[in-house]
């Protein structure tokens, strides 16, 4: 049990960001990792030109890294936005334009998990209107994910850092997952269980794991406080990951933490090199 018993991947949108995007897969590989995940890399556009998609695919392939998770277009992230799919008007339109692009790009790399960030509440817009739009767009995204053999992920964020994001508890995200699955009949909507965000919300992490491991499609970790590497805060991450495994979760664990003041390559000393390559 413990960390060496997990399948880790590196989030290249929060680690190795001191390097240009196309150099990050090789840097992750040099650090010993064979699996990576990404937020939507082109924050300005949901539909990048083919050459940009091809260049990123080549960088991932050349490094020998497997892409195991990809966000749909989520607006300015990093930045003020927390997704686009529930935001009426231009942002919802951009999300829809991105759905097939992201699904096809994921498929080209064998990536089978697509994360759809819900989006912030908008002042002056009825929350019920946003939720109806969100369900409509999530159904479209779930169908596109299913077309390429992927799952759709719905993520809880934390209220202190994302005060306008409505999904700030595990039950809130699970409710959306259940609604999407009921609407599509596909069963491919899953919970993205991020232990850092849930801990920031003050949730009982062991209880969340017991209640929702069966509906969890992806896990992400960072320590708390600070959102740093395991061991920099107070979370018993090794024990919690063991609890997830005991509860039947056998998927990926994304390293979505900040490296601090050091280069990203030095932010993995908590994990033996022998445990970094995914088996």
């Amino acid at each position: 049990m413990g960390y060496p018993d997990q399948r880790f991947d590196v989030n290249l949108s929060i680690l190795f960001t001191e390097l240009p995007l196309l150099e990050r897969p090789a840097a992750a590989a040099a650090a010993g990792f064979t699996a990576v995940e990404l937020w939507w890399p082109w924050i300005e556009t949901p539909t990048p030109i083919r050459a940009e998609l091809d260049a990123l695919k080549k960088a991932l392939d050349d490094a020998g890294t497997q892409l195991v998770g990809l966000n749909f277009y989520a607006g300015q992230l990093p930045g003020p936005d927390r997704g686009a799919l529930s935001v009426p008007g231009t942002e919802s339109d951009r999300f829809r334009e991105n759905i097939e692009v992201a699904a096809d790009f994921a498929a080209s790399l064998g990536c089978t998990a697509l994360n759809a960030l819900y989006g912030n509440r908008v002042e002056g817009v009825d929350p019920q209107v946003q939720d109806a739009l969100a369900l409509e767009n999530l159904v479209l995204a779930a169908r596109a994910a299913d077309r390429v053999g992927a799952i759709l992920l719905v993520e809880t964020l934390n209220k202190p850092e994302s005060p306008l994001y409505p999904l700030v508890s595990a039950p809130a995200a699970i409710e959306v997952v259940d609604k999407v699955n009921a609407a599509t009949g596909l069963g491919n909507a899953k919970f993205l269980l991020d232990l850092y965000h849930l801990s920031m919300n003050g949730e009982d992490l062991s209880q969340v794991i017991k209640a929702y491991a069966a509906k969890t499609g992806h896990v992400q970790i960072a320590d708390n406080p600070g959102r740093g590497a395991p061991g920099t805060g107070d979370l018993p991450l090794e024990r919690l990951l063991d609890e997830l495994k005991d509860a039947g979760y056998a998927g990926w664990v994304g390293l979505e933490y900040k490296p601090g003041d050091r280069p990203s390559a030095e932010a993995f000393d908590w994990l033996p090199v022998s445990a970094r390559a995914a088996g």
Side-chain angles (χ1 to χ4, degrees), residues 161-253:
E161 294 174 325
S162 302
L164 300 178
Y165 191 82
L167 306 185
V168 288
S169 73
I174 291 293
E175 182 180 358
V176 173
V177 165
D178 289 344
K179 285 181 178 178
V180 174
N181 285 332
T184 65
L186 296 171
N188 71 327
K190 301 285 186 180
F191 179 39
L192 196 167
L193 193 160
D194 185 309
L195 290 167
Y196 168 74
H197 287 308
L198 294 172
S199 71
M200 284 285 286
N201 290 328
E203 294 194 61
D204 182 332
L205 301 181
S206 293
Q207 186 55 44
V208 168
I209 288 167
K210 286 178 186 174
Y212 303 126
K215 294 185 177 184
T216 296
H218 191 66
V219 170
Q220 291 173 334
I221 65 169
D223 216 331
N224 186 22
R227 200 174 185 174
T232 60
D234 302 327
L235 287 184
L237 289 168
E238 195 163 14
R239 174 175 64 77
L240 291 166
L241 291 179
D242 281 345
E243 289 177 14
L244 268 160
K245 203 170 212 27
D246 290 342
Y249 180 74
W252 295 98
V253 177

Side-chain angles (χ1 to χ4, degrees), residues 34-59:
T34 55
V36 299
E37 62 182 71
L38 282 163
W39 301 341
W40 184 248
W42 301 278
I43 63 173
E44 301 297 337
T45 177
T47 54
I49 60 172
R50 169 56 55 186
E52 292 193 24
L53 292 161
D54 289 346
L56 180 52
K57 181 182 186 306
K58 184 176 188 301

Side-chain angles (χ1 to χ4, degrees), residues 103-186:
D104 287 342
F105 183 65
S108 75
L109 287 155
C111 174
T112 57
L114 288 157
N115 184 27
L117 283 167
Y118 201 81
N120 288 330
R121 290 301 193 208
V122 179
E123 187 176 354
V125 179
D126 185 339
Q128 291 184 332
V129 170
Q130 284 198 256
D131 291 340
L133 177 63
L135 181 58
E136 197 176 310
N137 282 335
L138 285 166
V139 164
L140 294 174
R143 288 176 177 150
D146 181 69
R147 175 178 64 79
V148 298
I151 59 172
L152 173 74
L153 297 169
V154 177
E155 182 174 7
T156 293
L157 299 183
N158 75 77
K159 193 170 184 63
E161 294 174 325
S162 302
L164 300 178
Y165 191 82
L167 306 185
V168 288
S169 73
I174 291 293
E175 182 180 358
V176 173
V177 165
D178 289 344
K179 285 181 178 178
V180 174
N181 285 332
T184 65
L186 296 171

